[in-house]
């Protein structure tokens, strides 16, 4: 049985990555290398105000004196930051009409299942499509603007809403926060910007779809979402990249600001190319995501389904500053082949009666290494703070690993903390049971894994819960025998 | 229905089944009794194709099809259903989802159309009410946090929904109170007809007070040593098994 398992595991690892094609289009691309001139050039293309260029340069100055973090349980070839290009954009620049977008790019998104044509779009989902370093199109902008909602590319926001960008940019993740955040602050090229005005409940799901296409480039996008008092928004990001032999760097920053009585729900389905069976190629995913519950009774909820990338380094966090504010983190992380994921969250309780929930599901197959790293910090004045953490891991095969590093720091005796962790294997007895009922092995595995992930999938918006389930099924096809 | 000839099986090089011969025609209920460790449960598992056991010889035929080498799911689809002694829990997977997947796998194999959610629900609810189970049972995760009685009732629910050709009950009666035992028996009686067969593996007479077997086999050390009628069960209840030993 064990030998047979191994055979089928090996078979899985040969699975083709469905989104691995590349698009052949003319792109404007910077020569590899990073220095002040590159940043100035980038800022100039973007017609940025002086304050933003200064902010970038300051971040760059800091970055030069910082060193890459080494505490994560991941191993990778050193990144040569001078060998990367920091800007790549299709020659045809974005315009108001889709007619002006290169048909090749529209076709690329169609192939990815993302239609940029509003009529054909999944109902109730607006999308901002980011291709390499620039935003290509944003759908439903007019419809959203009727509600006073701003949903546009970051570059447009800088032009059209500089006061909002200036107020909130770096307010949650300072430019000097960490090595990758500093790099992003210096060179970020585009991303999405969302502002939900007071009392508005966003009538549709907002989403950004990131696609890395160009070779030897880094993608450094920046997302900023501000929910004003009493507002509500649900946002989703998806990501894919072509199969390339060299590793590509993706270092993004996402900042969320939730004012009094507002709610931000942020979901990610991350399916970057993860490299081949030998671990060659794949995306290095170093991402800083953080939200602040600024006002009382506000809520930020992160849900992530991470199946891609060669290396993932990511800890979406919530700072609960307002009283009664709520932070949530739901995560499914799958590693197979030689993928490595070091992911988790940080929950920082500052306000009174703040409450956080962490539910993570790690799935390791092949030679994948899956690490949960989470920090819960209760500050001195956070009366009656509560945290519940549950970290479960499942192992498929005998060459993979699951690791859990919870850090808890409590400075107020009224805090209530609960932590649960389990590690299990998909049992032969569970598979036998399913098979005996006539259910095929592949279906049994996906059924068991989906059951294991249920609590997290339930947090995803309906349309994407189905997508996530299918993604897990495809990812784990033939992983047990 | 099922014919087993000179079946030998082992686990970790330890011989468990040492030449089993068994023939259960359609429409009959057979019982196998025997001491702990005599190989009864092994037989049930080997019939179902559990790969933990090594088949060392002999063959199993299901309605003229040799299934000795067949995969677990194909045997199941050919009509073998095992009521597990210890049904395993699968957290997060609802009974409804699981059971409908299982049922539709069978229907597909039989060339029938798959059953939609509503049709399935109606079918399952009818069976549930006969077993005295609440509809909410379908929403629970498979065997997760079930009591001993609920686990066995869940097996019977699955048996009646899938409606196989051969039901193998592996000590389904152990650990049940009288009410649960009656429910299980009621389910099995509802299942059996002249076109299917039942193999009951048990230690006790009490289930057989409710389900009348046609043939009783006594098993000792991996072999069937005596075959007869209900009177054998009474003798075993009274005298145990030592009188069978050479």
């Amino acid at each position: 049985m064990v030998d047979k398992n191994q055979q089928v595991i090996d078979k899985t690892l040969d699975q083709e990555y469905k989104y691995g094609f590349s698009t052949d289009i003319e792109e404007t691309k910077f020569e590899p290398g990073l220095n002040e001139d590159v940043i100035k050039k980038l800022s100039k293309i973007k017609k940025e105000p002086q304050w933003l260029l200064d902010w970038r340069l300051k971040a760059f100055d800091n970055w030069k004196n910082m060193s890459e973090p080494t505490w994560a349980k991941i191993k990778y070839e050193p990144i040569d930051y001078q060998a990367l290009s920091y800007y790549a954009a299709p020659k045809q620049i974005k315009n108001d009409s889709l007619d002006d977008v290169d048909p090749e790019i529209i076709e690329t998104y169609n192939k990815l299942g993302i239609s940029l044509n509003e009529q054909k779009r999944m109902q109730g989902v607006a999308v901002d499509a980011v291709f390499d370093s620039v935003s290509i199109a944003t759908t439903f902008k007019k419809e959203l603007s009727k509600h006073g909602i701003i949903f546009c590319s970051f570059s447009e926001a800088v032009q059209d809403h500089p006061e909002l960008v200036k107020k909130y940019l770096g307010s949650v993740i300072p430019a000097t926060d960490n090595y990758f955040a500093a790099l992003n602050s210096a060179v970020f090229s585009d991303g999405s910007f969302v502002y939900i005005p007071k009392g508005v409940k966003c009538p549709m799901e907002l989403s950004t779809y990131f696609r890395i296409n160009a070779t030897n480039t880094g993608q450094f996008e920046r997302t900023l979402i501000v929910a004003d008092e009493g507002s509500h928004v649900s946002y989703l990001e998806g990501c894919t990249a072509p199969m390339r032999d060299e590793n590509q760097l993706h270092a993004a920053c996402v900042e969320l600001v939730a004012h009094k009585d507002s709610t931000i729900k942020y979901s990610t389905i991350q399916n970057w190319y993860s490299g081949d069976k030998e671990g060659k190629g794949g995306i290095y995913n170093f991402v800083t995501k953080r939200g602040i519950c600024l006002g009382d009774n506000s809520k930020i909820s992160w849900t992530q389904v991470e199946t891609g990338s060669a290396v993932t380094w990511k800890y979406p966090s919530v700072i609960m500053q307002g009283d009664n504010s709520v932070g949530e983190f739901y995560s499914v992380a799958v590693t197979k082949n030689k993928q490595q994921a070091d992911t988790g969250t940080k929950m920082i309780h500052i306000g009174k009666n703040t409450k956080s929930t962490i539910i993570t599901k790690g799935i390791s197959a092949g030679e994948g290494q899956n690490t949960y790293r989470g920090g819960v910090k209760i500050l001195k004045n956070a009366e009656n703070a509560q945290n519940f953490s549950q970290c479960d891991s499942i192992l498929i095969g005998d060459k993979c690993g699951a690791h859990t590093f919870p850090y808890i720091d409590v400075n107020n005796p009224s805090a209530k903390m609960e932590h649960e962790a389990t590690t299990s294997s998909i049992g032969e007895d569970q598979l036998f049971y399913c098979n005996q009922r006539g259910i095929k092995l592949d279906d049994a595995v996906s059924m068991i894994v989906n059951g294991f992930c249920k609590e997290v999938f339930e947090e995803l918006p309906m349309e994407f819960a189905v997508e996530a389930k299918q993604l897990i099924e495809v990812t784990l096809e033939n992983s047990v025998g | 229905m099922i014919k087993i000839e000179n079946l030998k099986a082992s686990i970790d090089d330890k011989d468990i089944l040492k030449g089993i011969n068994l023939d259960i025609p359609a429409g009959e209920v057979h019982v196998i009794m025997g001491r702990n460790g005599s190989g009864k449960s092994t037989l049930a598992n080997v019939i179902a194709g559990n790969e933990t056991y090594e088949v060392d010889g002999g063959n199993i035929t299901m309605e003229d099809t040799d299934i000795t080498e067949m995969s677990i799911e194909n045997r199941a689809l050919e009509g073998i259903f095992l009521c597990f002694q210890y049904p395993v829990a699968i957290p997060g997977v609802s009974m409804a989802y699981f059971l409908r997947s299982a049922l539709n796998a069978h229907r597909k194999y039989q060339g029938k159309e798959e059953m939609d959610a509503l049709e399935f629900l109606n079918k399952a609810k009818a069976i549930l009410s006969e077993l005295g189970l609440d509809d909410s049972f379908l929403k629970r995760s498979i065997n997760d946090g079930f009591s001993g009685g609920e686990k066995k009732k869940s097996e019977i629910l699955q048996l009646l929904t899938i409606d196989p050709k051969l039901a193998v009950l592996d000590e389904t009666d152990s650990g049940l109170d009288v009410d649960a035992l009656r429910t299980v028996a009621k389910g099995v009686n509802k299942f059996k007809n002249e076109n299917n067969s039942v193999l009951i593996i048990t230690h006790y007479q009490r289930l057989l007070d409710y389900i009348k077997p046609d043939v009783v086999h006594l098993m000792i050390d991996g072999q069937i040593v005596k075959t007869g009628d209900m009177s054998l069960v009474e003798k075993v209840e009274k005298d145990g098994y030592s009188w069978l030993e050479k």
Side-chain angles (χ1 to χ4, degrees), chain A residues 298-463:
Chain A
S298 55
K299 176 178 171 181
I300 289 177
S301 179
W302 298 100
T303 304
Q304 60 173 28
V305 177
E306 306 274 323
T307 59
S309 297
V311 170
T312 297
W313 179 97
K314 182 181 165 187
Y315 317 90
S317 306
V318 184
I319 301 166
M320 286 154 276
Q321 187 175 310
D323 290 347
N324 314 312
S325 59
V326 174
E328 293 175 341
F329 177 70
Y330 300 96
S331 168
V332 166
V334 184
T335 52
K336 61 169 189 175
N337 293 347
K338 301 208 169 178
Q339 272 178 279
Q340 307 168 70
D342 192 304
T343 183
T345 184
K346 240 193 277 176
M347 292 291 174
I348 298 164
H349 294 254
I350 300 173
K352 295 182 179 67
N353 308 313
T354 46
K355 201 173 155 186
S356 63
T357 303
I358 300 170
I359 293 180
T360 69
K361 307 282 175 178
I363 299 153
S364 315
E367 295 172 57
Q369 294 294 326
N370 214 321
T371 300
Y372 166 77
R373 188 182 302 277
V376 179
K377 189 166 186 169
I378 314 277
L379 270 68
K380 224 168 94 187
N381 295 323
E383 287 293 327
N384 301 315
Q386 275 185 52
N387 166 266
F388 173 78
S389 301
Q390 183 189 331
C391 308
D392 299 325
S393 308
I394 203 166
L395 304 168
I396 304 175
D398 54 5
K399 291 182 187 163
C400 52
H403 320 275
T404 304
F405 300 100
Y407 304 88
I408 296 170
D409 178 9
V410 178
N411 298 294
N412 184 308
S414 65
K416 248 171 99 178
M417 313 288 289
E418 278 179 77
H419 184 91
E420 292 173 12
T422 64
T423 302
S424 56
S425 304
I426 286 195
E428 300 281 332
D429 50 349
Q430 285 176 324
L431 294 172
F432 178 52
Y433 192 78
C434 294
N435 290 159
Q436 212 297 307
R437 296 301 183 248
I439 297 166
K440 279 192 308 184
L441 212 49
D442 277 352
D443 295 344
V445 171
S446 74
M447 196 182 269
I448 294 165
V449 171
N450 273 315
F452 174 74
C453 301
K454 194 177 167 207
E455 289 157 289
V456 175
F457 288 167
E458 278 174 350
E459 294 299 322
L460 286 171
M462 258 290 259
E463 300 87 335

Side-chain angles (χ1 to χ4, degrees), chain A residues 40-241:
Chain A
K40 282 176 185 161
K41 199 169 143 193
L42 176 72
S43 184
K44 201 176 164 194
I45 290 179
K46 302 248 156 215
K47 302 191 182 76
E48 286 176 354
Q50 187 61 39
W51 66 263
L52 188 49
L53 175 62
D54 292 344
W55 193 76
R56 285 177 180 278
L57 292 173
K58 206 177 141 203
F60 182 61
D61 254 357
N62 277 299
W63 179 75
K64 282 188 291 189
N65 296 318
M66 293 167 97
S67 48
E68 230 171 280
T70 51
W71 42 262
K73 201 173 162 50
I74 47 177
K75 279 184 206 145
Y76 55 95
E77 291 295 305
I79 301 166
D80 181 355
Y81 293 91
Q82 294 305 330
L84 291 173
S85 164
Y86 288 81
Y87 184 77
K91 280 225 164 119
Q92 237 150 345
I93 300 296
K94 181 178 182 175
N95 216 309
D96 277 346
S97 165
L98 259 188
D99 301 339
D100 298 330
V101 178
D102 190 327
E104 280 284 335
I105 293 177
I106 295 183
E107 186 48 36
T108 300
Y109 281 93
N110 282 341
K111 262 169 132 174
L112 298 170
I114 311 290
S115 172
L116 300 180
N117 184 323
E118 289 187 8
Q119 270 72 47
K120 289 186 193 157
R121 270 301 292 171
M122 215 189 286
Q123 249 188 339
V125 184
V127 63
D128 182 27
V130 177
F131 192 89
D132 289 334
S133 306
V134 292
S135 167
I136 299 301
T138 310
T139 64
F140 293 108
K141 262 164 88 170
K142 282 193 190 124
E143 169 75 25
L144 290 166
S145 68
K146 283 185 207 157
H147 302 270
I149 294 167
I150 304 168
F151 178 41
C152 62
S153 72
F154 206 96
S155 309
E156 279 172 272
V158 170
Q159 302 304 321
D160 302 343
H161 310 281
E163 69 299 339
L164 284 174
V165 176
K166 196 172 178 182
K167 183 171 173 190
Y168 293 107
L169 177 68
S171 69
V172 191
I173 305 171
T176 52
D177 189 77
N178 68 70
Y179 187 79
F180 294 105
L183 176 64
N184 174 287
S185 301
V187 301
F188 74 91
S189 49
D190 215 335
S192 302
F193 176 80
V194 176
Y195 172 79
I196 314 288
K198 270 185 196 170
V200 171
K201 195 165 190 270
C202 186
M204 54 177 86
E205 300 281 339
L206 303 183
S207 72
T208 302
Y209 197 92
F210 295 102
R211 175 77 179 167
I212 297 180
N213 187 62
T215 49
N216 291 323
T217 53
Q219 193 180 47
F220 307 94
E221 85 275 359
R222 195 141 188 132
T223 300
L224 173 56
I225 299 177
V226 180
D228 218 325
E229 284 182 19
S231 69
H232 186 285
V233 63
S234 172
Y235 183 93
L236 183 121
E237 63 169 356
C239 351
T240 59

Side-chain angles (χ1 to χ4, degrees), chain B residues 146-167:
Chain B
F146 283 23
S147 70
E150 283 173 330
K151 280 184 186 169
K152 299 298 169 75
K153 285 180 190 174
S154 150
E155 295 292 292
I156 298 299
L157 164 68
Q158 295 178 46
L159 170 69
L160 290 172
T161 309
I162 292 172
D163 193 22
K165 289 180 193 154
L166 170 72

Side-chain angles (χ1 to χ4, degrees), chain A residues 457-476:
Chain A
F457 288 167
E458 278 174 350
E459 294 299 322
L460 286 171
M462 258 290 259
E463 300 87 335
F464 303 109
V466 177
E467 192 183 325
K469 252 176 126 162
Q470 284 167 351
L471 184 60
I472 298 281
E473 274 160 31
V474 173
T475 309
L476 292 176

